[in-house]
Amino acid sequence: MDKAKRVLFCANVNFLKWRRNFNVILLFILWFVWSTEHIRPVAQYCQDNGYVISPWVLPFQISNVNTILVYVFTLIVLFANAPFCDFSSPFVMIRTGKAAWFRGQLLYIVGAGFVLTLFTYASALVTLAPCLGFSMNWGGVLIGLAEQPALMAGYDGHILPKLAIIQSYSGAEATLLAFLLLWGMAVLTGSILLFFNITFHPGAGVVAVASIEAFTIFTQYGPALGAGKGWLVAWDVLHWCSMHHIRPADVSAPVTPWMAIGLFFGIAGILGLCSARIFCGRDTVFESDEI
């Protein structure tokens, strides 16, 4: 129990730093604006017509590649300096022990990813608040938009619900899957940043994740790749955090939601264990920014 308390204490130290970190506050504000960009037209549509919309919008909130790229960029900024060493870290490590301190960093990545995912969904609900109603069913608005996208003619840049998702899952089930996909992508991104920063050099993690983003940009906006482009897009792991780019919405995708969730958390766990072994097996020198 004492070991668990030390790990929780180390993770909580990082969360407490958010209150004094203007960059984190600004990051959440900017992500709120971007992530709700396609929700606001739907809210306006409902208000104009007196409709009430159900809360199961998360499966359609992160749908286009630009939003996926911005989401991952947000994660890069949030976790860029993993394992979050600063002037206070040596004093915390002396009190808790090196292993407990590092486990706290892993727990922080998991917890911060959960908070960002919850914030993403909450942002959509806040945006829809004037026309939001609770129902265990998908509701007429989302089903109507999936069946007849032309209903929102004149409202630019709105979400496009996928009928395949609505037919395959209940609203609550699809929302849970979408939540776990975004959370898993957050944990995986943080674990990649941590592993490369620990294994090679601070900043190497940013290069690694940025390279994955560059590959996504290339597959989406690069020159014509013929039949191979569809194969590259299907195996682009960043697309898998969106329900729109995996089965059943995209029948050509190689993974289902549960497969993608398992891969995200499984790979993140392996990288976390490797990072812990490397970190705890060598000296830590904070003065020269070496970790």
Side-chain angles (χ1 to χ4, degrees):
M1 182 62 70
D2 185 55
K3 291 182 179 179
K5 287 181 179 179
R6 292 201 298 266
V7 172
L8 288 172
F9 171 78
C10 293
N12 188 53
V13 167
N14 289 329
F15 281 110
L16 292 175
K17 293 174 185 177
W18 284 10
R19 297 180 300 178
R20 303 187 302 272
N21 192 333
F22 177 76
N23 291 336
V24 171
I25 297 172
L26 180 61
L27 185 68
F28 273 80
I29 293 173
L30 293 175
W31 175 240
F32 172 86
V33 173
W34 185 279
S35 65
T36 59
E37 176 186 4
H38 303 299
I39 300 292
R40 285 188 289 273
V42 178
Q44 188 61 52
Y45 165 76
C46 292
Q47 288 181 281
D48 291 345
N49 294 278
Y51 297 154
V52 175
I53 188 170
S54 64
W56 316 117
V57 295
L58 186 62
F60 317 115
Q61 187 177 355
I62 312 297
S63 58
N64 63 74
V65 68
N66 291 330
T67 303
I68 295 172
L69 290 172
V70 174
Y71 179 63
V72 176
F73 177 78
T74 302
L75 295 170
I76 291 175
V77 176
L78 186 62
F79 296 133
N81 62 335
F84 318 107
C85 299
D86 59 16
F87 69 92
S88 66
S89 298
F91 304 101
V92 176
M93 196 178 298
I94 290 172
R95 292 179 58 189
T96 62
K98 193 172 185 178
W101 182 87
F102 193 82
R103 293 190 190 106
Q105 310 312 299
L106 295 174
L107 181 61
Y108 168 72
I109 289 175
V110 175
F114 180 86
V115 170
L116 182 62
T117 307
L118 187 62
F119 177 82
T120 301
Y121 187 30
S123 298
L125 298 182
V126 168
T127 304
L128 293 170
C131 54
L132 189 65
F134 182 77
S135 172
M136 289 304 297
N137 300 317
W138 281 105
V141 173
L142 292 174
I143 294 176
L145 293 180
E147 293 178 339
Q148 303 181 58
L151 289 173
M152 284 196 62
Y155 296 87
D156 295 331
H158 55 83
I159 59 172
L160 296 171
K162 290 280 189 176
L163 190 59
I165 297 174
I166 291 176
Q167 293 175 337
S168 301
Y169 306 105
S170 67
E173 185 180 10
T175 299
L176 174 62
L177 291 173
F179 190 97
L180 291 174
L181 286 169
L182 290 175
W183 186 17
M185 176 56 70
V187 175
L188 176 61
T189 302
S191 299
I192 293 173
L193 286 161
L194 177 67
F195 175 77
F196 278 86
N197 285 350
I198 290 289
T199 305
F200 299 102
H201 191 275
V206 173
V207 175
V209 180
S211 298
I212 299 174
E213 280 212 287
F215 175 75
T216 301
I217 294 172
F218 174 76
T219 59
Q220 191 69 27
Y221 302 109
L225 300 172
K229 181 172 183 177
W231 185 86
L232 289 175
V233 171
W235 285 95
D236 180 6
V237 68
L238 296 192
H239 281 85
W240 297 354
C241 71
S242 169
M243 293 282 287
H244 281 235
H245 298 283
I246 54 179
R247 299 202 302 259
D250 184 352
V251 294
S252 65
V255 296
T256 63
W258 284 115
M259 289 172 61
I261 291 165
L263 286 170
F264 288 163
F265 284 102
I267 296 173
I270 293 172
L271 292 176
L273 290 174
C274 292
S275 300
R277 183 170 183 177
I278 294 170
F279 182 84
C280 295
R282 68 186 187 194
D283 294 334
T284 304
V285 184
F286 293 95
E287 291 78 8
S288 60
D289 292 326
E290 295 179 6
I291 53 177

